[in-house]
Amino acid sequence: MTPPFEMRGGHVRRDGRDVLRGVDLRVAAGDVVAVLGPNGAGKSTLIKALLGLLPLSGGSTAVYGVPPARFRDWGRVGYVPQRLPMGGGVPATVREVVASGRVARRSRWLPALTDRGADRAAVDRALAAVGLAGRDRDTAHLLSGGQQQRVLIARALAGEPDAFVLDEPTAGVDATSQLDLAGTLGGLVAGGRTVVLVAHELGPLAPLITRTVRLAGGRIVADDGEAA
Ligand SMILES: Nc1ncnc2c1ncn2[C@@H]1O[C@H](COP(=O)(O)OP(=O)(O)OP(=O)(O)O)[C@@H](O)[C@H]1O
Ligand SMILES: [Mg+2]
């Protein structure tokens, strides 16, 4: 089966510094990978480069076997960034932000055939999964930091992707919401979804993890899953 993500010799330079130095990482379907490491180790850089959100200065990366620049099936991938790209600009409601997670699923050729009922149901499920069902009309960027993080998680869930990439999804999120997230991800993993997540503290997510990759100084210094 084509692996959801595969980086070979991945190298990234930012501001003239090497922040990713020759990373090989193949994530198989159904893996639940925890990417660990100290601040500045290159975890977010790795995640973004894996998805083609940052250019590689060396090596290659593929999403479901295709270089990110040529990949077209973004509905298969849900990404939760570490920091909010919202705020500023036009104020969006929680529902609007979460619904934007459905956009990549639309047919490029037949957008009119989009099933509004299915969209709405998926958005409602995602909002309920992060405990924000009652806050869907709130302005997203006026929510607390932890609530905004949960909105971003809901946006990824709403897209019903095959693979989730989450950059510190539990940072600043309260214990109950972390348990909710663990339950939600547990269900998705049981259904065969792939998860790559960055964390400093795994907390309730720990039992889900099938593989741990440790980064330091832009290199993988430990990986307990390569043999599996
Ligand atoms: N926009 C940027 N421009 C230039 N350098 C950057 C940029 N973002 C990050 N870096 C540098 O890249 C290195 C790795 O950063 P990265 O954000 O990947 O670390 P991280 O492991 O995710 O850390 P954290 O645990 O704090 O999130 C750091 O040295 C950082 O200074
Ligand atoms: Mg980071």
Side-chain angles (χ1 to χ4, degrees), residues 50-201:
L50 210 53
L51 298 173
L53 299 171
L54 273 179
L56 291 177
S57 51
S60 66
T61 190
V63 181
Y64 286 102
V66 180
R70 286 199 282 111
F71 187 67
R72 291 290 170 264
D73 215 356
W74 288 108
R76 297 188 74 183
V77 180
Y79 170 55
V80 179
Q82 181 173 6
R83 303 207 203 293
L84 298 174
M86 48 170 135
V90 184
T93 65
V94 168
R95 176 171 290 278
E96 285 165 347
V97 173
V98 174
S100 72
R102 299 290 296 172
V103 169
R105 296 180 60 86
R106 299 226 166 119
S107 162
R108 274 194 297 152
W109 313 115
L110 299 168
L113 291 188
T114 298
D115 182 340
R116 296 293 166 109
D119 280 347
R120 193 168 177 89
V123 169
D124 286 341
R125 272 197 303 279
L127 284 166
V130 300
L132 288 174
R135 306 298 295 269
D136 65 324
R137 285 155 191 245
D138 287 29
T139 300
H141 74 258
L142 298 181
L143 295 179
S144 76
Q147 288 169 334
Q148 291 187 28
Q149 190 65 9
R150 283 150 59 196
V151 171
L152 295 179
I153 292 167
R155 183 178 66 175
L157 292 171
E160 302 180 306
D162 294 323
F164 290 85
V165 179
L166 310 101
D167 196 345
E168 300 203 30
T170 53
V173 167
D174 64 49
T176 305
S177 302
Q178 290 196 26
L179 275 172
D180 289 348
L181 177 64
T184 301
L185 285 181
L188 294 167
V189 165
R193 294 337 192 281
T194 306
V195 177
V196 178
L197 63 89
V198 176
H200 287 287
E201 297 286 337

